[in-house]
Amino acid sequence: LYNILLDWNSLSNSITNVFAIEGAGSGVGILNASNYNIFRSINAGNNLYKGIDLTNSHNTGLSQIVATNNGDGSTAWTAGLMSIDSGKSTMTAVTTSNNTQGLFFLNYFTTTSLNNVVHNVVAANNSNATGADGFISYSTDSDIDGTYSQLVSVNNNRYGFDIAGSKNGKFTGNILAGTNATSDCFVPGGQTNPGISGTCGIQGSSDHNTVLAKDSAAAFYGKVTSNDTN
């Protein structure tokens, strides 16, 4: 179930100024070779699974996205914004907060998650019972040749950056992290130039500036649990 759905070769659409909220499934679905689509000024919130689900679709533009209070309908993969087997997409001016996971890249069936550009993202206050991450590259080669800049990942209840699947990634600009429950950056071994280290430092071709010990707790009270009675 999706509030907004592009599926099976739905091409070259432009969708702006939309609320995709309070769904029994996910807010926005961009699925199955629905390529060359643009989404701008989207508010995806209070959905049972994902705020935005980008699966097996490419050349997507996502900008001015707010994904809040999404999950937990309790599949393993719920998040504010999830990209599965999708590439050559641009994600800019994204806020993902109070979700069961923040921004989640996953390579599940193919190795087509190539050349994504992620810029100006805030992932904050995401949590679930087993531990939520702000920014996740989950499985081997789940994001290849990606560029990530101006990222903030704070106050999540596991890792700020969980980089288990980046290959030849480049982190640039300012990378801010702090007050994540387990650690700010988790980068297991065996990867080819993930672009960032386990201390959030520079690796490979990256040239980012790391700023740690950030805390946004005063900006977030918690999830909305009921409607306003006025």
Side-chain angles (χ1 to χ4, degrees):
L1 296 174
Y2 294 88
N3 290 339
I4 301 168
L5 176 62
L6 302 182
D7 201 0
W8 296 112
N9 300 294
S10 182
L11 306 176
S12 302
N13 300 284
S14 180
I15 297 174
T16 62
N17 297 317
V18 169
F19 284 81
I21 59 176
E22 298 184 353
S26 297
V28 176
I30 311 160
L31 314 178
N32 299 313
S34 293
N35 304 327
Y36 305 103
N37 293 295
I38 295 173
F39 287 78
R40 185 175 64 251
S41 296
I42 307 297
N43 190 318
N46 293 327
N47 297 290
L48 192 59
Y49 295 111
K50 306 176 187 77
I52 296 179
D53 179 359
L54 175 62
T55 297
N56 193 30
S57 297
H58 309 288
N59 299 96
T60 304
L62 297 168
S63 65
Q64 300 172 38
I65 306 297
V66 177
T68 58
N69 301 329
N70 296 290
D72 189 348
S74 260
T75 76
W77 300 335
T78 60
L81 196 164
M82 179 171 284
S83 174
I84 303 174
D85 294 335
S86 299
K88 298 182 180 178
S89 296
T90 301
M91 305 172 189
T92 62
V94 175
T95 298
T96 172
S97 65
N98 290 335
N99 304 289
T100 50
Q101 301 283 0
L103 177 59
F104 197 141
F105 288 92
L106 175 66
N107 170 33
Y108 189 57
F109 295 109
T110 64
T111 54
T112 55
S113 297
L114 306 171
N115 303 114
N116 291 300
V117 175
V118 180
H119 177 68
N120 273 357
V121 173
V122 175
N125 215 45
N126 298 288
S127 65
N128 66 55
T130 59
D133 307 323
F135 185 98
I136 315 163
S137 172
Y138 182 72
S139 57
T140 302
D141 295 348
S142 58
D143 197 30
I144 303 170
D145 298 328
T147 300
Y148 319 101
S149 62
Q150 300 297 108
L151 307 180
V152 179
S153 189
V154 292
N155 298 89
N156 302 289
N157 84 327
R158 190 169 61 176
Y159 303 118
F161 295 88
D162 182 353
I163 309 299
S166 173
K167 180 178 180 180
N168 298 329
K170 180 176 181 178
F171 289 76
T172 189
N174 292 311
I175 306 298
L176 280 62
T179 326
N180 296 292
T182 302
S183 68
D184 290 329
C185 289
F186 173 69
V187 185
Q191 299 180 73
T192 304
N193 294 326
I196 195 168
S197 73
T199 58
C200 303
I202 290 171
Q203 194 281 329
S205 64
S206 294
D207 58 6
H208 60 278
N209 174 50
T210 302
V211 182
L212 300 179
K214 306 287 28 177
D215 186 352
S216 68
F220 296 95
Y221 183 77
K223 292 187 176 185
V224 176
T225 58
S226 62
N227 290 330
D228 191 336
T229 57
N230 295 325

